[in-house]
Amino acid sequence: MTVLLFGGNGQLGQELRRALAPLGEMVVTTRSGTLPDGSTCEVADFNAPASLTALLDRVRPDVVVNAAAYTAVDRAEDDRDAAWRANAEAPGVIARWCAAAGVPLVHYSTDYVFDGQGSRPYREEDATAPLGAYGGSKLDGEEAIRAAGGRHLIFRTAWVYASHSANFLRTMLRVGAERDVLRVVADQVGTPTPAALIADVTAQALQHPGGLSGTWHLTANGETSWHGFAEAIFAEAVAAGKLARAPKVEAITTAEYPTPARRPAYSGLDVTRLESDFGIALPSWQDGLKRVIAEL
């Protein structure tokens, strides 16, 4: 089969290039037409959604995987039009092409579609209520894909990180090596999820014989705060010999670290449906962290 991957240079896109390669021919796109290693690929500009149809017509893929997105949560508050073009309009264009061509579409959404007022992991059918522009644009993207009427696999995920690219883990390790004390928010709770895990599950889902269509929550198992995640990062990095010593991590509140965009206070996602439908046992977030630290 021919797999068309949008967003091949992001932290998830890089893992998808690895995980999906055994499925067939990979056609990878980025906005610039170049990959992190300097090699060239197809150009796909999500800031110009209408332009994507010509690429789809030319490639004629058997599967489309969309890992491209506007992910600058705070900047989206002042750049709402760009966030909606990339996160809602572009996925809608892709989904309508896929529906007309009978091609399955894999798309990734976010825990930010919820308001964070819950007290138990959110299920797929729970009411959505985004707090900001990023979550709102991602929710509209989900709805545009469903409205297109084709087969789709929407995976909502959260707190994504990897041993490469820009993310919380790499920021903590860099800053932790420079400072003796760090202050990290302790009243936002969610599930750190390796990009490699999302990519591997995607590959398994695409090979599942059931031809399933719908929305699933895809994170590691368990939950923690950003403060708890930071402490675990340092403990694991020291144990693995990747860091000489762990800095002290002081717990602070969200109010002490104001940002332009509001974040959900609680965004645990219930992964029971995914594990049941696809026969996949997801690891704990702690086991996921160990694997990523080992890759550094």
Side-chain angles (χ1 to χ4, degrees), residues 71-233:
T71 57
V73 174
D74 290 320
R75 196 163 70 236
E77 295 300 310
D78 295 320
D79 200 11
R80 298 173 74 90
D81 288 348
W84 254 270
R85 280 193 295 273
N87 292 343
E89 292 175 32
V93 168
I94 295 167
R96 288 188 289 276
W97 186 95
C98 288
V103 170
L105 169 62
V106 178
H107 178 78
Y108 303 93
S109 192
T110 174
D111 55 330
Y112 279 42
V113 300
F114 298 110
D115 64 9
Q117 299 304 302
S119 57
R120 53 126 177 102
Y122 285 98
R123 302 182 186 114
E124 288 82 354
E125 66 273 16
D126 284 337
T128 51
L131 296 176
Y134 169 69
S137 67
K138 292 296 287 183
L139 180 59
D140 281 0
E142 288 187 14
E143 292 173 347
I145 290 168
R146 295 186 193 106
R151 182 188 168 204
H152 59 271
L153 295 90
I154 297 172
F155 294 122
R156 290 180 182 146
T157 190
W159 295 27
V160 182
Y161 69 100
S163 59
H164 52 80
S165 306
N167 56 63
F168 182 80
L169 174 138
R170 285 173 57 86
T171 298
M172 287 296 101
L173 290 176
R174 176 179 54 80
V175 178
E178 300 167 351
R179 302 181 194 171
D180 294 324
V181 181
L182 299 179
R183 304 170 76 238
V184 180
V185 170
D187 58 356
Q188 293 175 26
V189 172
T191 304
T193 303
L197 173 64
I198 301 168
D200 290 340
V201 169
T202 299
Q204 290 176 262
L206 283 172
Q207 295 174 87
H208 190 274
L212 300 175
S213 183
T215 301
W216 292 269
H217 289 169
L218 168 49
T219 66
N221 265 301
E223 56 193 42
T224 188
S225 66
W226 289 113
H227 176 268
F229 187 26
E231 289 199 313
I233 289 169

